[in-house]
Amino acid sequence: REKMSEIKPKDKGSSEESAAEQDWAAAKAAFENLKSNKPRPVSPKPKNAVTIAVSSRTLFNMKAERKIFEEEGLEKYVAFQQEHENEPLKPGPAFPFVKALMNVNTRLRELYPDNEELFDIVLMTNNHAQVGVRLINSINHYDLTIERFCMTGGKSPIGYLKAYLTNLYLSKSADKVIEAIDEGIAAATMFTPDTELELSGTQLRVAFDGDAVLFSDESEIIVKQHGLDSFFEHEKQFENKPLAQGPLKCFLEALGKLQRKFYAKNERLNCPIRTFLVTARSAASSGARVLKTLRSWGLEIDEALFLAGAPKGPLLQKIRPHIFFDDQMFHIEGATELGTISAHVPYGIGQKYHKGKLIEQPEKKE
Amino acid sequence: MVSTDQKTDVKEKEADCPVVVAVTSHAVFESGAEDPDGLYVGGIAFPLLQALQKVNERLLKENPAESLLFDVILITTESQQQQESSRITESIRHHGLKVSRFCFSNEEDFMENLLNNNVHLFLTTNRNEALQGSQKGVLSVLLDEHTASCPTEQLRVLFCGDAVVQSEAGPALASKQAAQSFSAQIGKMRGRFGPFDSPISIALVTSRGGRESCGDALRTLRSLGVNADEAYCLAGVPRGPIKRLLRPHFLLSECFSSN
């Protein structure tokens, strides 16, 4: 998992770097020369930004359109989208998250006017470019700061995710998410709850499961293969040995980097980013190892909630995150049922136990 | 100036709407190289010609009476090649390429050749030739080593929606009209196929501007009858990696230039 150990991959050779510098400088010049009533901020260089790639179906609600695609085929789908090009799409599950990211950017720009350490939101879609016009119109309608996109016309987005130095990829397609994770890119499959909870407009709130999301699945393997007692013993014995990192560790790290920019300006109490750990571990027994691991990584998490096996849904309903990451579909379903926008991280041993199975016994780690 | 009509296995293409593509022998063959049979070895433009051929095959498959096809002419200014004209034609035949005409000319006359043959697209590996072509109002594209590694099964055309990513022939001196009419022909050809499994794929890239500039470029292409399959708005992201993923056979930017 070497790729996951860095937030941004190191730059390649110097000639490519200087070409990249030229590209970026030209873009900046173009933006600054635009005569526009509403000056748009220049997009940050990918290497400086925290890049979040969202698919079209996570950004917008395309359920009706998807149905046409599945039942009537691609040509009818593209034709439909073109016919309705000037009708903005409704928001999708990643929409509140994107708005919250934009708010953080606004606050960052107030404190650090020329700084590039910002969120950069990229639309990464398999759609044909002709559908793209409706997507652009919809982005315009909601005035979202999304200035970069890839419409791959059916090709895999993976290469493009890498080219944009993506820190997090959100999609409705489990296949693409799995491919991204296999390539070392933090990714998750989004689910839309049936009910909408009211979410904060001033603070980005992100909730993470622990094992197999922030951390590797090494401990979960012990639970599954050797049972809970072995798990407790093991965690106690290795309390001071940091867990290996999981697929979303670098994303938490990126959030932490931005949080510290607020702390540096005395804005800790008013920080527009708040992170939560929501784990089935218990504080009394297996929780210590988790906190010590985070500390060894130099990462902070604002609130650590140890559920000792209790369902996550009700607690998440209180927390109201813009997004909640978990590796187990059981928890995703529980969260979604109670209104939390959830994102499944298809990583680790948890996947082998959920394929094709309808009902899961709750994992009791205590 | 000598012009040789070569009726090989190629169907006689009707005069009204084929897309005439002229390519120099420098681009088609590796200079100075020879295979064991003494024939020329395929060069940079090889995959491109194969892709053009693939398009023709598929067009004819859809409609055996299709007349909107690529009509490839080979231009050579090398006197040695002209003297060994049978070697050129043999090499062409050996590699399975279909060329409808061979034009031998000297360096001063070859521009005239392009104009007389009503060339819509001129492909060369020589920067000067490309510049000359552009100055005469012929859409000229400078091929480079990237073209050599492009796919042969699908023709990939990349439109550059803002003038930063220009075709390497230099400033866009080719008349906008030539570019636009060629693009319209490509758009029409693309329209003969469905969304999947098309032998032509059209992509649009904007490097500098934000989403509005890409949206505008998409609409401009539409107005020319070109429906892009893929669109990428870079807004300053380095284009090297993106171009490597797209693997276009050639780039067109003149449709959007302001002159």
Side-chain angles (χ1 to χ4, degrees):
Chain A
R1 297 264 173 220
E2 301 93 313
K3 283 173 199 168
M4 289 191 199
S5 67
E6 296 171 33
I7 304 181
K8 292 280 180 186
K10 303 229 186 327
D11 287 321
K12 293 196 167 96
S14 59
S15 67
E16 223 181 89
E17 243 187 88
S18 63
E21 281 293 325
Q22 282 176 15
D23 289 333
W24 190 87
K28 187 168 182 193
F31 260 93
E32 283 165 0
N33 283 335
L34 277 177
K35 290 180 172 60
S36 142
N37 298 335
K38 212 190 310 181
R40 283 213 188 96
V42 176
S43 294
K45 282 200 198 95
K47 65 178 181 182
N48 296 330
V50 178
T51 304
I52 316 275
V54 294
S55 74
S56 57
R57 286 193 290 150
T58 59
L59 185 61
F60 297 119
N61 180 337
M62 311 242 285
K63 287 202 181 110
E65 288 80 3
R66 181 75 183 173
K67 196 155 178 272
I68 296 174
F69 169 67
E70 281 167 358
E71 289 173 10
E72 298 179 56
L74 182 62
E75 290 190 56
K76 288 269 159 65
Y77 163 79
V78 175
F80 180 88
Q81 294 279 34
Q82 281 188 249
E83 280 158 36
H84 296 264
E85 214 158 74
N86 295 315
E87 286 168 37
L89 293 157
K90 296 264 185 329
F95 194 91
F97 179 58
V98 165
K99 293 289 286 187
L101 297 175
M102 285 168 55
N103 178 58
V104 174
N105 276 358
T106 306
R107 292 282 305 275
L108 281 169
R109 287 202 166 96
E110 281 165 14
L111 295 173
Y112 300 89
D114 285 311
N115 197 272
E116 292 226 303
E117 289 174 332
L118 298 164
F119 287 115
D120 184 29
I121 307 154
V122 174
L123 174 67
M124 183 69 63
T125 176
N126 250 28
N127 268 299
H128 273 64
Q130 296 314 308
V131 175
V133 180
R134 188 177 187 194
L135 294 172
I136 297 173
N137 288 344
S138 302
I139 291 173
N140 287 343
H141 174 80
Y142 297 103
D143 206 17
L144 303 176
T145 34
I146 299 178
E147 298 295 347
R148 293 179 166 143
F149 55 76
C150 291
M151 295 164 185
T152 72
K155 283 156 54 190
S156 162
I158 298 302
Y160 300 101
L161 288 173
K162 289 187 188 173
Y164 280 70
L165 301 183
T166 304
N167 292 87
L168 175 69
Y169 170 52
L170 300 174
S171 170
K172 278 273 193 181
S173 160
D175 289 334
K176 296 194 189 71
V177 168
I178 291 170
E179 212 189 327
I181 292 194
D182 283 345
E183 294 286 327
I185 303 168
T189 319
M190 291 206 77
F191 289 85
T192 313
D194 288 328
T195 56
E196 267 181 49
L197 295 174
E198 203 181 305
L199 302 174
S200 169
T202 54
Q203 186 181 64
L204 169 69
R205 296 160 77 82
V206 183
F208 298 89
D209 172 35
D211 295 280
V213 173
L214 291 178
F215 314 112
S216 75
D217 63 343
E218 57 192 272
S219 298
E220 272 191 26
I221 290 174
I222 296 174
V223 175
K224 296 279 199 298
Q225 291 178 355
H226 303 289
L228 279 171
D229 289 334
S230 299
F231 169 74
F232 297 139
E233 275 173 38
H234 185 271
E235 292 305 285
K236 243 321 182 275
Q237 190 185 354
F238 291 95
E239 195 176 285
N240 295 309
K241 177 167 185 267
L243 291 157
Q245 56 187 353
L248 259 64
K249 177 250 184 183
C250 287
F251 179 58
L252 175 66
E253 196 170 0
L255 291 178
K257 192 176 80 166
L258 294 181
Q259 279 180 308
R260 281 195 294 280
K261 294 171 76 80
F262 289 96
Y263 303 163
K265 297 271 183 173
N266 261 328
E267 292 276 346
R268 191 182 265 267
L269 288 179
N270 208 13
C271 184
I273 303 174
R274 193 160 184 84
T275 56
F276 301 83
L277 173 69
V278 179
T279 174
R281 285 183 183 238
S282 141
S285 60
S286 45
R289 190 176 184 197
V290 150
L291 293 175
K292 291 188 181 187
T293 302
L294 287 172
R295 196 183 301 157
S296 79
W297 291 345
L299 297 187
E300 282 183 27
I301 202 143
D302 295 302
E303 290 183 40
L305 301 141
F306 297 94
L307 288 164
K312 300 187 180 182
L315 182 67
L316 287 164
Q317 218 180 14
K318 296 257 182 325
I319 294 175
R320 307 268 173 117
H322 292 90
I323 191 166
F324 161 60
F325 296 100
D326 201 300
D327 68 304
Q328 310 214 38
M329 276 310 295
F330 168 74
H331 289 301
I332 295 288
E333 281 154 12
T336 315
E337 262 161 47
L338 294 181
T340 294
I341 302 171
S342 309
H344 180 232
V345 182
Y347 167 77
I349 195 145
Q351 310 324 303
K352 299 197 172 69
Y353 285 76
H354 290 269
K355 265 192 196 156
K357 294 200 179 171
L358 275 173
I359 302 206
E360 287 295 320
Q361 289 302 316
E363 306 297 352
K364 283 204 187 285
K365 284 188 176 150
E366 167 73 27
Chain B
M1 191 187 80
V2 174
S3 181
T4 314
D5 254 320
Q6 195 80 4
K7 286 193 183 128
T8 55
D9 317 311
V10 168
K11 274 198 186 112
E12 280 249 45
K13 297 179 182 100
E14 279 156 71
D16 35 38
C17 49
V19 180
V20 182
V21 179
V23 55
T24 63
S25 57
H26 289 297
V28 178
F29 299 121
E30 223 179 275
S31 38
E34 229 174 75
D35 74 3
D37 294 321
L39 298 176
Y40 294 117
V41 171
I44 283 177
F46 221 69
L48 204 167
L49 290 191
Q50 290 174 311
L52 292 178
Q53 213 149 287
K54 199 72 194 180
V55 173
N56 280 354
E57 283 166 27
R58 291 284 305 275
L59 283 169
L60 289 168
K61 201 168 155 200
E62 296 287 318
N63 171 14
E66 178 67 76
S67 57
L68 178 66
L69 298 166
F70 286 114
D71 178 8
V72 178
I73 34 182
L74 184 76
I75 296 193
T76 182
T77 54
E78 253 187 53
S79 53
Q80 190 189 18
Q81 284 186 349
Q82 291 166 17
Q83 275 155 28
E84 300 174 358
S85 62
S86 59
R87 191 142 85 120
I88 285 202
T89 56
E90 263 313 299
S91 304
I92 291 280
R93 191 199 303 274
H94 171 79
H95 290 291
L97 292 184
K98 301 211 167 90
V99 168
S100 67
R101 271 163 291 162
F102 295 82
C103 295
F104 299 158
S105 70
N106 54 38
E107 282 171 29
E108 289 84 44
D109 293 340
F110 92 90
M111 276 312 318
E112 241 182 84
N113 226 328
L114 292 184
L115 296 169
N116 289 343
N117 281 291
N118 192 26
V119 167
H120 296 112
L121 176 69
F122 172 48
L123 303 169
T124 175
T125 48
N126 181 309
R127 186 173 288 272
N128 278 330
E129 285 177 0
L131 276 173
Q132 280 184 56
S134 288
Q135 280 163 355
K136 291 282 182 189
V138 176
L139 182 61
S140 306
V141 169
L142 186 65
L143 302 177
D144 59 23
E145 67 279 0
H146 294 119
T147 314
S149 52
C150 286
T152 57
E153 293 302 301
Q154 187 187 59
L155 179 67
R156 300 188 53 76
V157 180
L158 180 60
F159 284 91
C160 304
D162 42 24
V164 166
V165 192
Q166 286 172 353
S167 53
E168 275 81 7
L173 296 173
S175 72
K176 205 167 166 184
Q177 234 178 340
Q180 287 180 342
S181 64
F182 175 75
S183 306
Q185 291 172 306
I186 291 290
K188 237 192 199 169
M189 279 184 174
R190 176 68 188 87
R192 305 279 207 250
F193 304 98
F196 291 126
D197 192 34
S198 163
I200 309 180
S201 177
I202 299 175
L204 167 70
V205 170
T206 53
S207 335
R208 288 191 300 188
R211 63 174 187 270
E212 269 318 307
S213 67
C214 201
D216 287 343
L218 276 172
R219 287 189 199 93
T220 303
L221 283 179
R222 259 190 198 169
S223 70
L224 295 173
V226 181
N227 285 333
D229 297 291
E230 304 167 42
Y232 302 88
C233 184
L234 304 187
V237 169
R239 40 192 158 97
I242 304 283
K243 208 178 144 202
R244 275 196 289 278
L245 288 166
L246 288 175
R247 295 194 302 156
H249 289 95
F250 54 86
L251 282 66
L252 296 171
S253 58
E254 292 82 354
C255 300
F256 307 98
S257 60
S258 48
N259 54 340

